[in-house]
C-alpha cells in the first residue's frame, strides 16, 4: 500500500476489509488513524486484537488512535452508509464469487470523497500459479477468478467509483509462489520453498537496499499484486 496515495492519520476512520493477519491495520494504527479490522475468520481477528493491545502497551499507538476488530462478511457489512474515510481491500475480491456485491458494499460504507485501495493478484503471475498447481485455486476459500486490470477497473467504475492510479507490488513474492506451486502448494517443507520463504522474511525484517532495488525493478514486470486506488464521488 502506498500511503502517499491513501493518506491516513489522526481523525481518519479506516476499514481494513478482509484484514487477515492485520498487517495493513497495524500500519494504519501506527499512523494515528482509527481502524476497524474486519474479517470472516474470528481466529484471525483474535490475533489482531492481541497485537493491537501489544502495540498500545509498547507505546506504538499515537494518542487518540483506536484499533477495533469486527467479524462479518464483505457481502453485507454491519456498518452505516458513509462510515469510513478510507477502505483497504487487500487480496480479497479474488476470493468472492459475487465480487460485484462486495464492491457495492465498499462503495456504500465509504464517505463521499473517500478513497479505497483495492489489491488483487496480478494477471500474469496468477495465471502461472493456476497452470502449475490446480490445488492453488481449487482449495476451499481459494481464488475463484483471475482479474485483468481492465476488468477490475471496469467493475469498480460500474459500481460508481472514479478509478485512479495503480501500481504493482511484491515482485519478489511471485517466484516464491511459482516455486510453491511447482513443488505442491501445500508442501511447506520442501527445501527450496523453505529457503525462499526465509529470504522473504529476512527481506521484510531488514529491508536491505539490494532487495529494495530488485523489487522496484521486478514490480512492473512480475509484481504479485496490482494495487488500484479509487474514489467515491
Amino acid at each position: 500500500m502506498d500511503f502517499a496515495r491513501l493518506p491516513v492519520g489522526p481523525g481518519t476512520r479506516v476499514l481494513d476489509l478482509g484484514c487477515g493477519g492485520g498487517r495493513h491495520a497495524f500500519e494504519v494504527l501506527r499512523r494515528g488513524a482509527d481502524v476497524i479490522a474486519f474479517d470472516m475468520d474470528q481466529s484471525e481477528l483474535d490475533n489482531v486484537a492481541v497485537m493491537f493491545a501489544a502495540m498500545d502497551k509498547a507505546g506504538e499507538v499515537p494518542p487518540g488512535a483506536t484499533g477495533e476488530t469486527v467479524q462479518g462478511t464483505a457481502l453485507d457489512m454491519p456498518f452505516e452508509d458513509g462510515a469510513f474515510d478510507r477502505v483497504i481491500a487487500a487480496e480479497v475480491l479474488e476470493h468472492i464469487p459475487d465480487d460485484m456485491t462486495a464492491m457495492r458494499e465498499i462503495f456504500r460504507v465509504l464517505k463521499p470523497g473517500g478513497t479505497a485501495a483495492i489489491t488483487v493478484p496480478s494477471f500474469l503471475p496468477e495465471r502461472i500459479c493456476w497452470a502449475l498447481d490446480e490445488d492453488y485455486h481449487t482449495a476451499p476459500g481459494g481464488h475463484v477468478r483471475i482479474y485483468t486490470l481492465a476488468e477490475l477497473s471496469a467493475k469498480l467504475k460500474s459500481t460508481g467509483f472514479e478509478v485512479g492510479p495503480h501500481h504493482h507490488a511484491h515482485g519478489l513474492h511471485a517466484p516464491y509462489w511459482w516455486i510453491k506451486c511447482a513443488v505442491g502448494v501445500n508442501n511447506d517443507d520442501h527445501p527450496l520453498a523453505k529457503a525462499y520463504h526465509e529470504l522473504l522474511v529476512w527481506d521484510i525484517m531488514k529491508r536491505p537496499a539490494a532487495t529494495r532495488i530488485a523489487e522496484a525493478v521486478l514490480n512492473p514486470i512480475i509484481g504479485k499484486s496490482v494495487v488500484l486506488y479509487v474514489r467515491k464521488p
Side-chain angles (χ1 to χ4, degrees), residues 22-191:
R23 179 166 60 96
H24 292 109
F26 302 147
E27 181 60 27
V28 168
L29 187 59
R30 289 189 187 97
R31 290 170 179 262
D34 300 316
V35 61
I36 289 183
F38 184 77
D39 203 281
M40 291 180 62
D41 189 336
Q42 187 59 51
S43 63
E44 291 272 35
L45 293 175
D46 291 342
N47 292 332
V48 171
V50 169
M51 186 61 179
F52 279 160
M55 290 171 62
D56 188 40
K57 186 175 181 179
E60 296 182 28
V61 180
T66 61
E68 180 183 350
T69 62
V70 175
Q71 192 273 337
T73 170
L75 302 179
D76 185 20
M77 291 192 277
F79 308 116
E80 295 180 357
D81 296 357
F84 298 96
D85 302 290
R86 307 282 184 267
V87 174
I88 297 170
E91 311 297 294
V92 173
L93 294 176
E94 69 275 11
H95 294 274
I96 302 175
D98 187 3
D99 60 338
M100 293 296 293
T101 294
M103 292 179 191
R104 287 190 288 268
E105 275 291 274
I106 294 171
F107 187 87
R108 180 184 67 80
V109 302
L110 193 61
K111 290 180 180 178
T115 304
I118 312 292
T119 93
V120 299
S122 299
F123 179 83
L124 177 60
E126 186 74 349
R127 175 61 71 187
I128 294 173
C129 287
W130 281 47
L132 288 171
D133 189 356
E134 186 176 355
D135 288 342
Y136 174 83
H137 64 94
T138 58
H143 299 179
V144 299
R145 71 178 58 80
I146 302 176
Y147 287 103
T148 63
L149 178 60
E151 178 191 356
L152 179 63
S153 299
K155 286 185 171 182
L156 289 165
K157 188 174 181 179
S158 71
T159 304
F161 285 109
E162 296 174 351
V163 176
H166 74 275
H167 60 86
H168 290 80
H170 307 311
L172 290 176
H173 289 237
Y176 169 69
W177 283 103
W178 296 340
I179 292 168
K180 286 271 288 177
C181 290
V183 303
V185 72
N186 297 314
N187 186 5
D188 295 330
D189 293 327
H190 191 280

